[in-house]
PDB file of all heavy atoms in Angstrom:
ATOM      1  N   CYS A 205      77.519 -82.158 218.735  1.00  0.00           N
ATOM      2  CA  CYS A 205      77.013 -82.255 217.364  1.00  0.00           C
ATOM      3  C   CYS A 205      76.849 -83.682 216.865  1.00  0.00           C
ATOM      4  O   CYS A 205      76.406 -83.884 215.735  1.00  0.00           O
ATOM      5  CB  CYS A 205      77.938 -81.484 216.420  1.00  0.00           C
ATOM      6  SG  CYS A 205      78.005 -79.718 216.781  1.00  0.00           S
ATOM      7  N   LYS A 206      77.220 -84.658 217.668  1.00  0.00           N
ATOM      8  CA  LYS A 206      76.990 -86.048 217.277  1.00  0.00           C
ATOM      9  C   LYS A 206      75.586 -86.428 217.708  1.00  0.00           C
ATOM     10  O   LYS A 206      75.249 -86.366 218.889  1.00  0.00           O
ATOM     11  CB  LYS A 206      78.018 -86.967 217.930  1.00  0.00           C
ATOM     12  CG  LYS A 206      77.981 -88.384 217.384  1.00  0.00           C
ATOM     13  CD  LYS A 206      79.163 -89.196 217.876  1.00  0.00           C
ATOM     14  CE  LYS A 206      79.150 -90.581 217.243  1.00  0.00           C
ATOM     15  NZ  LYS A 206      80.320 -91.391 217.644  1.00  0.00           N
ATOM     16  N   ALA A 207      74.749 -86.813 216.741  1.00  0.00           N
ATOM     17  CA  ALA A 207      73.350 -87.120 217.038  1.00  0.00           C
ATOM     18  C   ALA A 207      73.257 -88.327 217.964  1.00  0.00           C
ATOM     19  O   ALA A 207      73.676 -89.421 217.610  1.00  0.00           O
ATOM     20  CB  ALA A 207      72.588 -87.391 215.736  1.00  0.00           C
ATOM     21  N   ASP A 208      72.758 -88.108 219.173  1.00  0.00           N
ATOM     22  CA  ASP A 208      72.613 -89.198 220.126  1.00  0.00           C
ATOM     23  C   ASP A 208      71.246 -89.158 220.813  1.00  0.00           C
ATOM     24  O   ASP A 208      71.065 -89.680 221.896  1.00  0.00           O
ATOM     25  CB  ASP A 208      73.721 -89.157 221.176  1.00  0.00           C
ATOM     26  CG  ASP A 208      73.799 -87.822 221.892  1.00  0.00           C
ATOM     27  OD1 ASP A 208      72.965 -86.944 221.591  1.00  0.00           O
ATOM     28  OD2 ASP A 208      74.681 -87.650 222.755  1.00  0.00           O
ATOM     29  N   SER A 209      70.281 -88.491 220.179  1.00  0.00           N
ATOM     30  CA  SER A 209      68.921 -88.435 220.731  1.00  0.00           C
ATOM     31  C   SER A 209      67.924 -88.441 219.592  1.00  0.00           C
ATOM     32  O   SER A 209      68.286 -88.309 218.419  1.00  0.00           O
ATOM     33  CB  SER A 209      68.747 -87.170 221.587  1.00  0.00           C
ATOM     34  OG  SER A 209      68.812 -86.014 220.774  1.00  0.00           O
ATOM     35  N   GLU A 210      66.654 -88.612 219.948  1.00  0.00           N
ATOM     36  CA  GLU A 210      65.602 -88.642 218.928  1.00  0.00           C
ATOM     37  C   GLU A 210      65.411 -87.268 218.290  1.00  0.00           C
ATOM     38  O   GLU A 210      64.991 -87.159 217.145  1.00  0.00           O
ATOM     39  CB  GLU A 210      64.291 -89.111 219.551  1.00  0.00           C
ATOM     40  CG  GLU A 210      64.331 -90.555 220.050  1.00  0.00           C
ATOM     41  CD  GLU A 210      63.005 -90.999 220.627  1.00  0.00           C
ATOM     42  OE1 GLU A 210      62.071 -90.170 220.667  1.00  0.00           O
ATOM     43  OE2 GLU A 210      62.917 -92.162 221.051  1.00  0.00           O
ATOM     44  N   GLU A 211      65.729 -86.224 219.020  1.00  0.00           N
ATOM     45  CA  GLU A 211      65.556 -84.869 218.496  1.00  0.00           C
ATOM     46  C   GLU A 211      66.665 -84.569 217.493  1.00  0.00           C
ATOM     47  O   GLU A 211      67.833 -84.835 217.732  1.00  0.00           O
ATOM     48  CB  GLU A 211      65.612 -83.868 219.642  1.00  0.00           C
ATOM     49  CG  GLU A 211      65.295 -82.450 219.224  1.00  0.00           C
ATOM     50  CD  GLU A 211      65.351 -81.503 220.401  1.00  0.00           C
ATOM     51  OE1 GLU A 211      66.163 -81.739 221.306  1.00  0.00           O
ATOM     52  OE2 GLU A 211      64.569 -80.549 220.412  1.00  0.00           O
ATOM     53  N   SER A 212      66.298 -84.021 216.353  1.00  0.00           N
ATOM     54  CA  SER A 212      67.281 -83.760 215.311  1.00  0.00           C
ATOM     55  C   SER A 212      68.228 -82.648 215.738  1.00  0.00           C
ATOM     56  O   SER A 212      67.872 -81.763 216.522  1.00  0.00           O
ATOM     57  CB  SER A 212      66.580 -83.365 214.007  1.00  0.00           C
ATOM     58  OG  SER A 212      66.014 -82.064 214.122  1.00  0.00           O
ATOM     59  N   LEU A 213      69.431 -82.690 215.185  1.00  0.00           N
ATOM     60  CA  LEU A 213      70.409 -81.651 215.483  1.00  0.00           C
ATOM     61  C   LEU A 213      69.953 -80.299 214.953  1.00  0.00           C
ATOM     62  O   LEU A 213      70.281 -79.259 215.524  1.00  0.00           O
ATOM     63  CB  LEU A 213      71.776 -82.033 214.892  1.00  0.00           C
ATOM     64  CG  LEU A 213      72.559 -83.065 215.688  1.00  0.00           C
ATOM     65  CD1 LEU A 213      73.723 -83.609 214.866  1.00  0.00           C
ATOM     66  CD2 LEU A 213      73.087 -82.450 216.986  1.00  0.00           C
ATOM     67  N   GLU A 214      69.201 -80.309 213.877  1.00  0.00           N
ATOM     68  CA  GLU A 214      68.678 -79.050 213.350  1.00  0.00           C
ATOM     69  C   GLU A 214      67.759 -78.380 214.366  1.00  0.00           C
ATOM     70  O   GLU A 214      67.851 -77.174 214.605  1.00  0.00           O
ATOM     71  CB  GLU A 214      67.924 -79.288 212.041  1.00  0.00           C
ATOM     72  CG  GLU A 214      67.436 -77.997 211.397  1.00  0.00           C
ATOM     73  CD  GLU A 214      66.677 -78.218 210.109  1.00  0.00           C
ATOM     74  OE1 GLU A 214      66.403 -79.393 209.783  1.00  0.00           O
ATOM     75  OE2 GLU A 214      66.342 -77.233 209.435  1.00  0.00           O
ATOM     76  N   GLU A 215      66.877 -79.165 215.000  1.00  0.00           N
ATOM     77  CA  GLU A 215      65.992 -78.607 216.018  1.00  0.00           C
ATOM     78  C   GLU A 215      66.764 -78.194 217.262  1.00  0.00           C
ATOM     79  O   GLU A 215      66.461 -77.180 217.883  1.00  0.00           O
ATOM     80  CB  GLU A 215      64.909 -79.617 216.380  1.00  0.00           C
ATOM     81  CG  GLU A 215      63.854 -79.792 215.318  1.00  0.00           C
ATOM     82  CD  GLU A 215      62.726 -80.691 215.786  1.00  0.00           C
ATOM     83  OE1 GLU A 215      61.763 -80.168 216.380  1.00  0.00           O
ATOM     84  OE2 GLU A 215      62.821 -81.911 215.555  1.00  0.00           O
ATOM     85  N   GLN A 216      67.783 -78.985 217.646  1.00  0.00           N
ATOM     86  CA  GLN A 216      68.581 -78.622 218.814  1.00  0.00           C
ATOM     87  C   GLN A 216      69.311 -77.307 218.598  1.00  0.00           C
ATOM     88  O   GLN A 216      69.466 -76.515 219.519  1.00  0.00           O
ATOM     89  CB  GLN A 216      69.597 -79.727 219.123  1.00  0.00           C
ATOM     90  CG  GLN A 216      68.982 -81.021 219.615  1.00  0.00           C
ATOM     91  CD  GLN A 216      70.045 -82.050 219.939  1.00  0.00           C
ATOM     92  OE1 GLN A 216      70.975 -81.792 220.702  1.00  0.00           O
ATOM     93  NE2 GLN A 216      69.926 -83.235 219.351  1.00  0.00           N
ATOM     94  N   LEU A 217      69.751 -77.075 217.371  1.00  0.00           N
ATOM     95  CA  LEU A 217      70.521 -75.862 217.077  1.00  0.00           C
ATOM     96  C   LEU A 217      69.622 -74.662 216.779  1.00  0.00           C
ATOM     97  O   LEU A 217      69.840 -73.571 217.320  1.00  0.00           O
ATOM     98  CB  LEU A 217      71.450 -76.131 215.902  1.00  0.00           C
ATOM     99  CG  LEU A 217      72.397 -74.999 215.471  1.00  0.00           C
ATOM    100  CD1 LEU A 217      73.284 -74.552 216.633  1.00  0.00           C
ATOM    101  CD2 LEU A 217      73.251 -75.440 214.293  1.00  0.00           C
ATOM    102  N   PHE A 218      68.608 -74.851 215.935  1.00  0.00           N
ATOM    103  CA  PHE A 218      67.806 -73.724 215.461  1.00  0.00           C
ATOM    104  C   PHE A 218      66.429 -73.618 216.121  1.00  0.00           C
ATOM    105  O   PHE A 218      65.740 -72.616 215.929  1.00  0.00           O
ATOM    106  CB  PHE A 218      67.626 -73.819 213.940  1.00  0.00           C
ATOM    107  CG  PHE A 218      68.918 -73.745 213.176  1.00  0.00           C
ATOM    108  CD1 PHE A 218      69.486 -74.896 212.660  1.00  0.00           C
ATOM    109  CD2 PHE A 218      69.569 -72.542 213.006  1.00  0.00           C
ATOM    110  CE1 PHE A 218      70.682 -74.842 211.967  1.00  0.00           C
ATOM    111  CE2 PHE A 218      70.769 -72.470 212.311  1.00  0.00           C
ATOM    112  CZ  PHE A 218      71.330 -73.628 211.791  1.00  0.00           C
ATOM    113  N   GLY A 219      66.021 -74.628 216.874  1.00  0.00           N
ATOM    114  CA  GLY A 219      64.708 -74.591 217.483  1.00  0.00           C
ATOM    115  C   GLY A 219      63.616 -74.956 216.493  1.00  0.00           C
ATOM    116  O   GLY A 219      63.878 -75.213 215.317  1.00  0.00           O
ATOM    117  N   SER A 220      62.365 -74.962 216.962  1.00  0.00           N
ATOM    118  CA  SER A 220      61.247 -75.332 216.092  1.00  0.00           C
ATOM    119  C   SER A 220      60.008 -74.550 216.487  1.00  0.00           C
ATOM    120  O   SER A 220      59.816 -74.188 217.648  1.00  0.00           O
ATOM    121  CB  SER A 220      60.981 -76.838 216.181  1.00  0.00           C
ATOM    122  OG  SER A 220      60.688 -77.208 217.519  1.00  0.00           O
ATOM    123  N   GLU A 221      59.145 -74.290 215.498  1.00  0.00           N
ATOM    124  CA  GLU A 221      57.881 -73.608 215.745  1.00  0.00           C
ATOM    125  C   GLU A 221      56.858 -74.590 216.310  1.00  0.00           C
ATOM    126  O   GLU A 221      56.998 -75.805 216.159  1.00  0.00           O
ATOM    127  CB  GLU A 221      57.346 -72.976 214.458  1.00  0.00           C
ATOM    128  CG  GLU A 221      58.125 -71.751 213.995  1.00  0.00           C
ATOM    129  CD  GLU A 221      57.996 -70.568 214.942  1.00  0.00           C
ATOM    130  OE1 GLU A 221      57.229 -70.656 215.932  1.00  0.00           O
ATOM    131  OE2 GLU A 221      58.653 -69.539 214.693  1.00  0.00           O
ATOM    132  N   ALA A 222      55.851 -74.053 216.947  1.00  0.00           N
ATOM    133  CA  ALA A 222      54.840 -74.881 217.596  1.00  0.00           C
ATOM    134  C   ALA A 222      53.966 -75.591 216.561  1.00  0.00           C
ATOM    135  O   ALA A 222      53.762 -75.109 215.447  1.00  0.00           O
ATOM    136  CB  ALA A 222      53.976 -74.022 218.509  1.00  0.00           C
ATOM    137  N   THR A 223      53.490 -76.760 216.956  1.00  0.00           N
ATOM    138  CA  THR A 223      52.475 -77.470 216.180  1.00  0.00           C
ATOM    139  C   THR A 223      51.238 -77.603 217.068  1.00  0.00           C
ATOM    140  O   THR A 223      51.194 -77.051 218.165  1.00  0.00           O
ATOM    141  CB  THR A 223      52.971 -78.857 215.751  1.00  0.00           C
ATOM    142  OG1 THR A 223      53.248 -79.630 216.926  1.00  0.00           O
ATOM    143  CG2 THR A 223      54.233 -78.749 214.905  1.00  0.00           C
ATOM    144  N   THR A 224      50.278 -78.353 216.611  1.00  0.00           N
ATOM    145  CA  THR A 224      49.030 -78.489 217.370  1.00  0.00           C
ATOM    146  C   THR A 224      49.277 -79.043 218.770  1.00  0.00           C
ATOM    147  O   THR A 224      48.698 -78.572 219.757  1.00  0.00           O
ATOM    148  CB  THR A 224      48.056 -79.412 216.617  1.00  0.00           C
ATOM    149  OG1 THR A 224      47.868 -78.912 215.305  1.00  0.00           O
ATOM    150  CG2 THR A 224      46.715 -79.475 217.353  1.00  0.00           C
ATOM    151  N   ASN A 225      50.146 -80.020 218.859  1.00  0.00           N
ATOM    152  CA  ASN A 225      50.365 -80.694 220.139  1.00  0.00           C
ATOM    153  C   ASN A 225      51.710 -80.377 220.784  1.00  0.00           C
ATOM    154  O   ASN A 225      51.959 -80.792 221.915  1.00  0.00           O
ATOM    155  CB  ASN A 225      50.248 -82.211 219.948  1.00  0.00           C
ATOM    156  CG  ASN A 225      48.886 -82.634 219.435  1.00  0.00           C
ATOM    157  OD1 ASN A 225      47.868 -82.112 219.879  1.00  0.00           O
ATOM    158  ND2 ASN A 225      48.878 -83.558 218.484  1.00  0.00           N
ATOM    159  N   VAL A 226      52.592 -79.681 220.070  1.00  0.00           N
ATOM    160  CA  VAL A 226      53.951 -79.426 220.572  1.00  0.00           C
ATOM    161  C   VAL A 226      54.196 -77.926 220.639  1.00  0.00           C
ATOM    162  O   VAL A 226      53.990 -77.226 219.630  1.00  0.00           O
ATOM    163  CB  VAL A 226      55.006 -80.100 219.669  1.00  0.00           C
ATOM    164  CG1 VAL A 226      56.408 -79.846 220.216  1.00  0.00           C
ATOM    165  CG2 VAL A 226      54.740 -81.589 219.543  1.00  0.00           C
ATOM    166  N   PRO A 227      54.602 -77.390 221.783  1.00  0.00           N
ATOM    167  CA  PRO A 227      54.869 -75.949 221.876  1.00  0.00           C
ATOM    168  C   PRO A 227      56.156 -75.569 221.142  1.00  0.00           C
ATOM    169  O   PRO A 227      56.958 -76.427 220.770  1.00  0.00           O
ATOM    170  CB  PRO A 227      55.017 -75.720 223.385  1.00  0.00           C
ATOM    171  CG  PRO A 227      55.484 -77.039 223.913  1.00  0.00           C
ATOM    172  CD  PRO A 227      54.823 -78.077 223.072  1.00  0.00           C
ATOM    173  N   ARG A 228      56.328 -74.280 220.938  1.00  0.00           N
ATOM    174  CA  ARG A 228      57.555 -73.785 220.320  1.00  0.00           C
ATOM    175  C   ARG A 228      58.766 -74.172 221.178  1.00  0.00           C
ATOM    176  O   ARG A 228      58.717 -74.116 222.400  1.00  0.00           O
ATOM    177  CB  ARG A 228      57.512 -72.272 220.166  1.00  0.00           C
ATOM    178  CG  ARG A 228      58.827 -71.685 219.627  1.00  0.00           C
ATOM    179  CD  ARG A 228      58.877 -70.190 219.730  1.00  0.00           C
ATOM    180  NE  ARG A 228      57.889 -69.572 218.867  1.00  0.00           N
ATOM    181  CZ  ARG A 228      57.056 -68.618 219.253  1.00  0.00           C
ATOM    182  NH1 ARG A 228      57.085 -68.202 220.500  1.00  0.00           N
ATOM    183  NH2 ARG A 228      56.190 -68.098 218.409  1.00  0.00           N
ATOM    184  N   LYS A 229      59.840 -74.545 220.516  1.00  0.00           N
ATOM    185  CA  LYS A 229      61.071 -74.893 221.225  1.00  0.00           C
ATOM    186  C   LYS A 229      62.184 -73.951 220.794  1.00  0.00           C
ATOM    187  O   LYS A 229      62.384 -73.706 219.602  1.00  0.00           O
ATOM    188  CB  LYS A 229      61.485 -76.335 220.925  1.00  0.00           C
ATOM    189  CG  LYS A 229      62.768 -76.746 221.640  1.00  0.00           C
ATOM    190  CD  LYS A 229      63.225 -78.129 221.237  1.00  0.00           C
ATOM    191  CE  LYS A 229      64.500 -78.505 221.981  1.00  0.00           C
ATOM    192  NZ  LYS A 229      65.619 -77.581 221.719  1.00  0.00           N
ATOM    193  N   LEU A 230      62.889 -73.407 221.778  1.00  0.00           N
ATOM    194  CA  LEU A 230      64.027 -72.549 221.480  1.00  0.00           C
ATOM    195  C   LEU A 230      65.267 -73.398 221.279  1.00  0.00           C
ATOM    196  O   LEU A 230      65.570 -74.277 222.090  1.00  0.00           O
ATOM    197  CB  LEU A 230      64.258 -71.554 222.622  1.00  0.00           C
ATOM    198  CG  LEU A 230      63.105 -70.607 222.957  1.00  0.00           C
ATOM    199  CD1 LEU A 230      63.524 -69.663 224.067  1.00  0.00           C
ATOM    200  CD2 LEU A 230      62.661 -69.832 221.724  1.00  0.00           C
ATOM    201  N   GLY A 231      66.003 -73.135 220.211  1.00  0.00           N
ATOM    202  CA  GLY A 231      67.233 -73.858 219.939  1.00  0.00           C
ATOM    203  C   GLY A 231      68.422 -73.245 220.672  1.00  0.00           C
ATOM    204  O   GLY A 231      68.310 -72.208 221.338  1.00  0.00           O
ATOM    205  N   ALA A 232      69.575 -73.900 220.544  1.00  0.00           N
ATOM    206  CA  ALA A 232      70.779 -73.450 221.246  1.00  0.00           C
ATOM    207  C   ALA A 232      71.193 -72.045 220.825  1.00  0.00           C
ATOM    208  O   ALA A 232      71.643 -71.247 221.651  1.00  0.00           O
ATOM    209  CB  ALA A 232      71.920 -74.434 220.990  1.00  0.00           C
ATOM    210  N   LEU A 233      71.039 -71.715 219.549  1.00  0.00           N
ATOM    211  CA  LEU A 233      71.418 -70.376 219.084  1.00  0.00           C
ATOM    212  C   LEU A 233      70.614 -69.298 219.791  1.00  0.00           C
ATOM    213  O   LEU A 233      71.163 -68.280 220.220  1.00  0.00           O
ATOM    214  CB  LEU A 233      71.221 -70.262 217.576  1.00  0.00           C
ATOM    215  CG  LEU A 233      72.335 -70.808 216.680  1.00  0.00           C
ATOM    216  CD1 LEU A 233      71.893 -70.819 215.228  1.00  0.00           C
ATOM    217  CD2 LEU A 233      73.607 -69.987 216.851  1.00  0.00           C
ATOM    218  N   GLU A 234      69.326 -69.520 219.909  1.00  0.00           N
ATOM    219  CA  GLU A 234      68.460 -68.519 220.533  1.00  0.00           C
ATOM    220  C   GLU A 234      68.714 -68.436 222.035  1.00  0.00           C
ATOM    221  O   GLU A 234      68.707 -67.348 222.626  1.00  0.00           O
ATOM    222  CB  GLU A 234      67.000 -68.876 220.254  1.00  0.00           C
ATOM    223  CG  GLU A 234      66.074 -67.689 220.273  1.00  0.00           C
ATOM    224  CD  GLU A 234      64.758 -67.980 219.596  1.00  0.00           C
ATOM    225  OE1 GLU A 234      64.648 -68.997 218.884  1.00  0.00           O
ATOM    226  OE2 GLU A 234      63.833 -67.174 219.793  1.00  0.00           O
ATOM    227  N   GLN A 235      68.941 -69.575 222.666  1.00  0.00           N
ATOM    228  CA  GLN A 235      69.208 -69.585 224.104  1.00  0.00           C
ATOM    229  C   GLN A 235      70.538 -68.909 224.423  1.00  0.00           C
ATOM    230  O   GLN A 235      70.728 -68.389 225.520  1.00  0.00           O
ATOM    231  CB  GLN A 235      69.221 -71.019 224.619  1.00  0.00           C
ATOM    232  CG  GLN A 235      67.876 -71.714 224.546  1.00  0.00           C
ATOM    233  CD  GLN A 235      67.955 -73.148 225.033  1.00  0.00           C
ATOM    234  OE1 GLN A 235      68.374 -73.399 226.158  1.00  0.00           O
ATOM    235  NE2 GLN A 235      67.567 -74.091 224.198  1.00  0.00           N
ATOM    236  N   ALA A 236      71.474 -68.932 223.469  1.00  0.00           N
ATOM    237  CA  ALA A 236      72.803 -68.352 223.702  1.00  0.00           C
ATOM    238  C   ALA A 236      72.879 -66.885 223.311  1.00  0.00           C
ATOM    239  O   ALA A 236      73.970 -66.297 223.318  1.00  0.00           O
ATOM    240  CB  ALA A 236      73.860 -69.143 222.925  1.00  0.00           C
ATOM    241  N   HIS A 237      71.756 -66.261 222.974  1.00  0.00           N
ATOM    242  CA  HIS A 237      71.755 -64.852 222.565  1.00  0.00           C
ATOM    243  C   HIS A 237      72.440 -63.978 223.615  1.00  0.00           C
ATOM    244  O   HIS A 237      72.142 -64.055 224.810  1.00  0.00           O
ATOM    245  CB  HIS A 237      70.318 -64.368 222.364  1.00  0.00           C
ATOM    246  CG  HIS A 237      70.206 -62.914 222.067  1.00  0.00           C
ATOM    247  ND1 HIS A 237      70.731 -62.339 220.936  1.00  0.00           N
ATOM    248  CD2 HIS A 237      69.641 -61.895 222.784  1.00  0.00           C
ATOM    249  CE1 HIS A 237      70.492 -61.041 220.956  1.00  0.00           C
ATOM    250  NE2 HIS A 237      69.833 -60.751 222.056  1.00  0.00           N
ATOM    251  N   GLY A 238      73.386 -63.155 223.157  1.00  0.00           N
ATOM    252  CA  GLY A 238      74.141 -62.304 224.060  1.00  0.00           C
ATOM    253  C   GLY A 238      75.320 -62.995 224.706  1.00  0.00           C
ATOM    254  O   GLY A 238      76.068 -62.372 225.463  1.00  0.00           O
ATOM    255  N   GLY A 239      75.517 -64.285 224.393  1.00  0.00           N
ATOM    256  CA  GLY A 239      76.617 -65.039 224.998  1.00  0.00           C
ATOM    257  C   GLY A 239      77.392 -65.816 223.953  1.00  0.00           C
ATOM    258  O   GLY A 239      77.639 -65.332 222.848  1.00  0.00           O
ATOM    259  N   SER A 240      77.765 -67.061 224.297  1.00  0.00           N
ATOM    260  CA  SER A 240      78.606 -67.885 223.422  1.00  0.00           C
ATOM    261  C   SER A 240      77.984 -69.266 223.273  1.00  0.00           C
ATOM    262  O   SER A 240      77.382 -69.797 224.201  1.00  0.00           O
ATOM    263  CB  SER A 240      80.022 -68.023 224.004  1.00  0.00           C
ATOM    264  OG  SER A 240      80.592 -66.753 224.272  1.00  0.00           O
ATOM    265  N   LEU A 241      78.178 -69.861 222.087  1.00  0.00           N
ATOM    266  CA  LEU A 241      77.728 -71.223 221.815  1.00  0.00           C
ATOM    267  C   LEU A 241      78.928 -72.048 221.388  1.00  0.00           C
ATOM    268  O   LEU A 241      79.658 -71.679 220.463  1.00  0.00           O
ATOM    269  CB  LEU A 241      76.662 -71.231 220.714  1.00  0.00           C
ATOM    270  CG  LEU A 241      76.192 -72.613 220.244  1.00  0.00           C
ATOM    271  CD1 LEU A 241      75.561 -73.391 221.390  1.00  0.00           C
ATOM    272  CD2 LEU A 241      75.220 -72.485 219.079  1.00  0.00           C
ATOM    273  N   PHE A 242      79.130 -73.181 222.064  1.00  0.00           N
ATOM    274  CA  PHE A 242      80.243 -74.079 221.762  1.00  0.00           C
ATOM    275  C   PHE A 242      79.712 -75.305 221.031  1.00  0.00           C
ATOM    276  O   PHE A 242      78.905 -76.051 221.572  1.00  0.00           O
ATOM    277  CB  PHE A 242      80.945 -74.492 223.055  1.00  0.00           C
ATOM    278  CG  PHE A 242      82.044 -75.512 222.860  1.00  0.00           C
ATOM    279  CD1 PHE A 242      83.117 -75.254 222.028  1.00  0.00           C
ATOM    280  CD2 PHE A 242      81.993 -76.738 223.524  1.00  0.00           C
ATOM    281  CE1 PHE A 242      84.128 -76.182 221.850  1.00  0.00           C
ATOM    282  CE2 PHE A 242      83.005 -77.669 223.372  1.00  0.00           C
ATOM    283  CZ  PHE A 242      84.071 -77.396 222.525  1.00  0.00           C
ATOM    284  N   LEU A 243      80.154 -75.492 219.796  1.00  0.00           N
ATOM    285  CA  LEU A 243      79.763 -76.645 218.993  1.00  0.00           C
ATOM    286  C   LEU A 243      80.847 -77.704 219.129  1.00  0.00           C
ATOM    287  O   LEU A 243      81.925 -77.596 218.525  1.00  0.00           O
ATOM    288  CB  LEU A 243      79.581 -76.247 217.526  1.00  0.00           C
ATOM    289  CG  LEU A 243      78.516 -75.193 217.225  1.00  0.00           C
ATOM    290  CD1 LEU A 243      78.503 -74.854 215.745  1.00  0.00           C
ATOM    291  CD2 LEU A 243      77.144 -75.663 217.680  1.00  0.00           C
ATOM    292  N   ASP A 244      80.592 -78.721 219.932  1.00  0.00           N
ATOM    293  CA  ASP A 244      81.565 -79.777 220.161  1.00  0.00           C
ATOM    294  C   ASP A 244      81.471 -80.822 219.050  1.00  0.00           C
ATOM    295  O   ASP A 244      80.381 -81.266 218.703  1.00  0.00           O
ATOM    296  CB  ASP A 244      81.301 -80.430 221.524  1.00  0.00           C
ATOM    297  CG  ASP A 244      82.417 -81.364 221.930  1.00  0.00           C
ATOM    298  OD1 ASP A 244      83.547 -81.195 221.437  1.00  0.00           O
ATOM    299  OD2 ASP A 244      82.163 -82.272 222.741  1.00  0.00           O
ATOM    300  N   GLU A 245      82.628 -81.206 218.492  1.00  0.00           N
ATOM    301  CA  GLU A 245      82.701 -82.134 217.361  1.00  0.00           C
ATOM    302  C   GLU A 245      81.830 -81.654 216.200  1.00  0.00           C
ATOM    303  O   GLU A 245      80.921 -82.336 215.724  1.00  0.00           O
ATOM    304  CB  GLU A 245      82.297 -83.547 217.797  1.00  0.00           C
ATOM    305  CG  GLU A 245      83.244 -84.155 218.802  1.00  0.00           C
ATOM    306  CD  GLU A 245      84.710 -84.140 218.343  1.00  0.00           C
ATOM    307  OE1 GLU A 245      84.964 -84.216 217.120  1.00  0.00           O
ATOM    308  OE2 GLU A 245      85.600 -84.039 219.201  1.00  0.00           O
ATOM    309  N   VAL A 246      82.161 -80.461 215.729  1.00  0.00           N
ATOM    310  CA  VAL A 246      81.358 -79.799 214.703  1.00  0.00           C
ATOM    311  C   VAL A 246      81.340 -80.581 213.395  1.00  0.00           C
ATOM    312  O   VAL A 246      80.390 -80.471 212.609  1.00  0.00           O
ATOM    313  CB  VAL A 246      81.878 -78.355 214.488  1.00  0.00           C
ATOM    314  CG1 VAL A 246      83.275 -78.358 213.873  1.00  0.00           C
ATOM    315  CG2 VAL A 246      80.912 -77.540 213.650  1.00  0.00           C
ATOM    316  N   THR A 247      82.364 -81.406 213.135  1.00  0.00           N
ATOM    317  CA  THR A 247      82.401 -82.169 211.884  1.00  0.00           C
ATOM    318  C   THR A 247      81.321 -83.246 211.840  1.00  0.00           C
ATOM    319  O   THR A 247      81.088 -83.840 210.780  1.00  0.00           O
ATOM    320  CB  THR A 247      83.776 -82.827 211.686  1.00  0.00           C
ATOM    321  OG1 THR A 247      84.118 -83.585 212.856  1.00  0.00           O
ATOM    322  CG2 THR A 247      84.851 -81.781 211.440  1.00  0.00           C
TER     323      THR A 247
END
């Protein structure tokens, strides 16, 4: 959860819809469907 990349934590967690030049991206929540998601350093 510590921001260390250009991609926002919101997009990493929740994903993003497609734009003209960028395809839809699945976030960690969606990828973890049916399993578990570990949020390290959630604060």
Side-chain angles (χ1 to χ4, degrees):
C205 297
K206 190 170 184 177
D208 55 2
S209 67
E210 295 182 358
E211 186 179 33
S212 71
L213 282 167
E214 184 181 7
E215 287 186 89
Q216 292 182 53
L217 183 57
F218 298 103
S220 59
E221 288 293 355
T223 61
T224 305
N225 300 319
V226 181
R228 175 191 294 132
K229 180 185 180 300
L230 301 182
L233 278 171
E234 206 162 346
Q235 294 178 57
H237 175 64
S240 306
L241 175 61
F242 175 58
L243 299 177
D244 190 24
E245 295 307 329
V246 67
T247 53

